[in-house]
Amino acid sequence: MVTWASVVPDIDGLGIIVDWATRGMGKPTDFWGEYHHTLAHNIGFALLVTIVATVLARQKALTAVLVFFSFHLHLLGDLVGARGPDGDHWPIPYLRPFSNALQLEWAGQWALNAWPNIVLTGVLILIALVLARRRSYSPVELFSRKADEVLVRTLRSRFPVKEEHSRSCP
Ligand SMILES: [Zn+2]
């Protein structure tokens, strides 16, 4: 749930699928332009996600804190390094749906495809692979446990790990 909370704000960008589908029609939609960084990039959605996660979690307090933090880490990432190709800083209406008063943006924001994002992505993937080898699971398990098992098995066969570091032991 903590990992999902770090990506769930971008659910408001799924309108791009409808936009693609309606592109060739008489009245193309612009759901991505209208709602991305608006509907789910705010404190209201952060609270909703935190409440849902807390209800579903066994370790409620810890999950609530980590989900809320993880969600905001996403917002920080967008604020720091998600400038659009047209140079738009893509302000985050943080207080929505309660208020439009606060629009978060940073003048030093780098572009989405700028080198810091590429370096950070590479380093974080490397860390995820090292942790996957050590812990026997990776973020791939969010999508497929079977694919995650294949990844971990491949990593461990290429880079064997001592059993005391394995989480797969009972
Ligand atoms: Zn985002």
Side-chain angles (χ1 to χ4, degrees), residues 6-12 36-37 40-41 74-75 77-79 82 90 92:
S6 72
V7 292
V8 76
D10 280 343
I11 199 170
D12 62 15
H36 189 40
H37 275 217
H41 287 67
H74 177 108
L75 299 187
D78 280 352
L79 201 61
W90 223 341
I92 294 173

